[in-house]
Amino acid sequence: MQPKAYVPGVAVLLTALLAGCTGSDESNSPDGKPGASSTTAPAAPPGRYRTLPEPCGVVSKGALDALLPGIKQLTDEEQRETAYEGEATQTFDTDRRVGCRWKVESTAATDHLFLDFERVVSYDNAVSDDDKAAEVYAAKLEAADLPEPSTAESDGGDSKKDGKKADGEDGGGSGNEDETGAGASGDPKPSESATESASDPSSSPDSPGSSDSSGSPDSADPSASASGTPAALQPRALDDLSDEAFLNDELSTAQQRTVTVVFRTSNVIVTVEYAEQPTSVTEVPDSKEMQDRARNLAARLAESFNE
């Protein structure tokens, strides 16, 4: 009869052990609740681009000739080649950011060109590289402080698009060439309106020929802003360039005009900065001509990412 006295004790011990195992399972779950799953959410997809182009080699010589007229005036062949090469900007990680700048003087002006490529990487598994790049672009757009588009500017933009479509249909040319103004070689081509402005200086709203006797640009044009830029050419968002883009146009008191085009393609943000400082203080760089050149180059760079 004595062994039967130990049976209840064994049962109590087994019950305690089972209760301990159950408590251990609950405490090891992610949120401390029974049956909670330990699986994690999938990471956001990476950006499309893992590398960046060589910045000093993405612009053709023909494009540089148009953007920097002083190159053709260099008689020394070695100096000319050095001018074409440009100068790479110093960066700590060429997989994340690269840039190049050119500066060439001519008899009429000093021209500057600067390119910057930034590949954005998100270190948050819940945020994709593209979304992070969109945040960085939005910050740049906010910092540019673009003016609100007017009705006239909106109408002008629609008319320009319709004109481009008509040109493509009537001329039978390729859509890419019409959109970017660049041929197969990537050399920017001036638009028809830019060619007309170049042949008739008085036809350009902000050309030197439109200045009054005091040298103030666009004094007779009520649509021109205080910066000397016509209303239709004011800083604005561009809806025909890559994923999203904007253009800024600034004229300094020293008559240096700087046109900046920033666009985002997936997780890469590209900045094109084109500036001109005339030799004569009475001259004003043509806003439309400079904007056309900067936009054509930006369009060609955007296309190169898809090749």
Side-chain angles (χ1 to χ4, degrees), residues 40 65 107 128 132 158 263 265 285:
T40 58
D65 286 340
T107 55
S128 69
K132 184 64 177 178
D158 293 338
F263 70 87
T265 173

Side-chain angles (χ1 to χ4, degrees), residues 270-281:
V270 181
T271 300
V272 177
E273 186 177 284
Y274 180 41
E276 182 169 288
Q277 174 68 66
T279 303
S280 173
V281 295

